[in-house]
Amino acid sequence: PAQLVKKFNIPVVPVYIERIKDVNFRITINSPIKFNENDTIENITEELNLILEKMILKKPEQWIWSHNRWK
């Protein structure tokens, strides 16, 4: 995402989907996050990872990683 932000100067819209029961879900669409041209790919990635971390911590049992994200 950070590379896309830098290349196209676009905001990122965090979206959180939570399974409520069986096939019922709740979707939360957060406000767009705008970065400025001085932000580095590393800074953008760090901020987006913090947001992702908060999403996971809300309901960690609903998350599964099938690949090594941090390789």
Side-chain angles (χ1 to χ4, degrees), residues 20-38:
I20 304 302
K21 184 179 177 188
D22 299 325
V23 295
N24 296 311
F25 296 85
R26 177 182 303 131
I27 185 168
T28 303
I29 302 171
N30 295 302
S31 299
I33 302 169
K34 296 181 182 182
F35 296 94
N36 65 53
E37 62 187 38
N38 297 325

Side-chain angles (χ1 to χ4, degrees), residues 8-66:
F8 299 109
N9 191 32
I10 56 174
V12 176
V13 180
V15 176
Y16 179 76
I17 302 172
E18 177 185 353
R19 182 184 299 272
I20 304 302
K21 184 179 177 188
D22 299 325
V23 295
N24 296 311
F25 296 85
R26 177 182 303 131
I27 185 168
T28 303
I29 302 171
N30 295 302
S31 299
I33 302 169
K34 296 181 182 182
F35 296 94
N36 65 53
E37 62 187 38
N38 297 325
D39 286 316
T40 65
I41 288 177
E42 291 79 15
N43 293 76
I44 296 167
T45 300
E46 184 176 344
E47 186 169 339
L48 295 177
N49 280 337
L50 288 172
I51 292 166
L52 180 60
E53 181 180 3
K54 288 177 185 176
M55 289 178 179
I56 293 170
L57 289 172
K58 279 183 180 179
K59 292 272 186 170
E61 68 277 6
Q62 293 198 16
W63 289 81
I64 184 168
W65 290 112
S66 59

